[in-house]
Amino acid sequence: MTETIESAAQDDEQGPPRETHRRRPRVHRAWIVAAVTFVTIIGGAAFNSLPGLLIDPLHTEFGWSRGEIGLAVSIDMALYGLTAPFAAALMDRFGIRRVVATALTMVAAGALASVWMTASWQLMIYWGLLVGLGTGSMALAFAATVTNRWFVARRGLVTGILTAAGASGQLIFLPLCAWIVDEHGWRPASFTVALAALVVVPFVWLLMRDHPADVGLAPYGGVYAAKPAPAPGAARRTVKVLFQAARTGPFWLLAGTFAICGASTNGLIRTHFVPSAHDHGMPITAAASLLAVIGIFDVVGTIFSGWLTDRFDARRLLAVYYALRGISLLFLPMLMAPDVRPPMIFFIVFYGLDWVATVPPTLALCREQYGEDSAIVFGWVLASHQVGAAAVAFLGGVARDVFGSYDVVWYASGALCAVAALMSLVIRRARAASGAAGG
């Protein structure tokens, strides 16, 4: 029994596959859905390229302190994380297409409204509230939901690919936005981000499907199953899953390690690397280009991490990733210079391979420990990631205002990564698990 790939514009509601002898499809529809998800995450990630580029321009134009600007970024990151678990439940209730299309529109509205802002409270509303809620609805819980519904085989690999989409967006938009800011100012850069989010909406609406049963298919590597009825009480279910997971030790270990992950990536490098390098005399465009290069190696590292997660113990992978990241951060203050030198390039490559390599094994451990609730649990774990990021985005700016340098933040983050490595090793295996943790 085989099925052809249905037209992307065909009606969503189709019955189960019929006994026919039609030609076997060359590409399973799950890969098309994964491709649309990849492009969507790229579009939503465009905004994440902006904060580090705009700290100095906003400080210069409006006189806002780096702490104030960092607070707006921290609100965005915190809401990004706190929205994620509810977004996973809302996707179960209302469907992926509706939630993601609405989220992209919110990101575009926040980025566009910021063009006319004149006060720091507006920055917190537009960047913090609107963009935070929008990007949170397309967070990694979105990738987890798509992966869980559409794939049985190759889940680790697909998780790695979809996680790498954020880095791909960084690779595309960081150099572009840096050039726009340098040549034309920060407002056209913000408008560009709004446009990027809006362009993706038609792709989501026309090509995304909520469930394999919508097109009469089984998930990739699995067997056909009818689409479950929409689950009412999305918010109640999300909170209930949190309380259930919070009674288990692995949840707190996963949340703690992922909070440190967020602190040492989004909160630290993504927000403060460019202004820190600029403090040492490096042009903003050069620093942004280095950050974009991290995105290149992040794609490689994350996909490879997904491949490794399908084969090895996810706990040990996490311990290695965090240990290596901590070591690299301890050396970073010594590598800052007015121009790009070989040691800095080595750091960028090394750090890039590790940037979000932690996601596939963390998601695999959530899946191993929490089964059908794993996407929502991972959403809460992601919330801790963003709370950690938000704390360092704010405190990093305050540290720069107080000490005149970011060095203390680099050293503290390196030490935290060592703690995360130890925490990863003590996560117990699920009783029902067998074989490799990431299998």
Side-chain angles (χ1 to χ4, degrees):
M1 182 176 64
T2 59
E3 299 82 26
T4 57
I5 297 179
E6 303 294 331
S7 168
Q10 196 169 355
D11 184 78
D12 289 351
E13 301 300 329
Q14 295 188 10
R18 293 183 246 177
E19 294 288 343
T20 64
H21 297 281
R22 290 178 287 178
R23 187 174 56 188
R24 182 181 296 274
R26 293 184 179 180
V27 179
H28 193 284
R29 182 61 178 269
W31 294 107
I32 297 176
V33 172
V36 175
T37 304
F38 188 90
V39 173
T40 302
I41 294 173
I42 288 177
F47 178 83
N48 292 329
S49 303
L50 275 183
L53 300 176
L54 300 192
I55 288 178
D56 285 337
L58 293 177
H59 173 71
T60 300
E61 178 173 338
F62 297 108
W64 301 335
S65 71
R66 290 176 176 83
E68 281 183 291
I69 300 169
L71 179 59
V73 177
S74 71
I75 292 172
D76 163 62
M77 290 182 174
L79 284 176
Y80 176 102
L82 294 172
T83 303
F86 293 95
L90 287 172
M91 287 176 190
D92 286 344
R93 177 66 179 87
F94 298 105
I96 296 174
R97 286 197 302 175
R98 292 178 181 176
V99 173
V100 174
T102 302
L104 286 165
T105 303
M106 291 180 69
V107 172
L112 189 61
S114 68
V115 171
W116 292 282
M117 66 184 176
T118 57
S120 60
W121 67 265
Q122 294 170 326
L123 178 70
M124 295 174 192
I125 295 294
Y126 302 149
W127 278 21
L129 182 62
L130 287 177
V131 176
L133 291 174
T135 55
S137 298
M138 296 178 295
L140 293 173
F142 168 38
T145 300
V146 169
T147 304
N148 288 349
R149 290 187 186 181
W150 282 91
F151 291 87
V152 173
R154 303 289 185 268
R155 277 180 172 173
L157 176 63
V158 174
T159 300
I161 292 172
L162 295 183
T163 302
S168 299
Q170 173 178 298
L171 173 63
I172 293 168
F173 287 100
L174 255 175
L176 174 63
C177 290
W179 177 82
I180 293 173
V181 169
D182 196 43
E183 295 293 327
H184 305 286
W186 66 270
R187 288 180 176 83
S190 189
F191 181 82
T192 300
V193 168
L195 182 62
L198 285 177
V199 164
V200 181
V201 174
F203 288 93
V204 172
W205 197 255
L206 294 174
L207 298 177
M208 178 64 70
R209 292 296 179 267
D210 293 329
H211 194 278
D214 289 342
V215 288
L217 291 175
Y220 182 81
V223 297
Y224 180 85
K227 181 178 179 179
R236 184 168 59 252
R237 180 190 171 202
T238 300
V239 175
K240 179 180 178 181
V241 169
L242 170 63
F243 283 126
Q244 291 173 340
R247 289 197 286 265
T248 66
F251 173 79
W252 293 106
L253 291 168
L254 288 168
T257 56
F258 224 40
I260 294 172
C261 179
S264 57
T265 54
N266 291 357
L268 183 64
I269 296 292
R270 178 170 285 167
T271 305
H272 296 295
F273 177 81
V274 171
S276 178
H278 190 56
D279 283 347
H280 289 78
M282 185 178 293
I284 289 178
T285 50
S289 296
L290 287 175
L291 202 54
V293 171
I294 286 179
I296 297 176
F297 291 96
D298 180 23
V299 172
V300 176
T302 306
I303 294 175
F304 184 55
S305 176
W307 183 86
L308 290 174
T309 301
D310 285 331
R311 290 161 175 79
F312 299 102
D313 188 334
R315 300 169 304 162
R316 294 180 181 178
L317 289 176
L318 284 178
V320 171
Y321 295 158
Y322 285 121
L324 293 176
R325 181 184 300 176
I327 292 170
S328 67
L329 287 172
L330 292 175
F331 281 97
L332 182 56
M334 295 178 281
L335 306 180
M336 292 291 185
D339 51 7
V340 180
R341 299 175 183 177
M344 177 60 80
I345 294 176
F346 179 80
F347 168 82
I348 293 297
V349 173
F350 187 87
Y351 191 87
L353 291 171
D354 196 288
W355 177 271
V356 285
T358 55
V359 172
T362 299
L363 180 52
L365 288 171
C366 286
R367 192 179 296 122
E368 175 189 307
Q369 297 282 344
Y370 303 106
E372 294 181 356
D373 291 330
S374 62
I376 296 177
V377 173
F378 181 70
W380 283 113
V381 171
L382 179 62
S384 72
H385 180 281
Q386 293 306 114
V387 169
V392 172
F394 172 63
L395 293 175
V398 172
R400 172 60 178 80
D401 290 333
V402 173
F403 300 109
S405 168
Y406 284 103
D407 288 0
V408 65
V409 187
W410 304 126
Y411 294 135
S413 295
L416 283 174
C417 286
V419 174
L422 295 174
M423 292 171 66
S424 300
L425 291 175
V426 299
I427 298 173
R428 64 173 174 79
R429 298 177 67 90
R431 293 178 182 176
S434 61

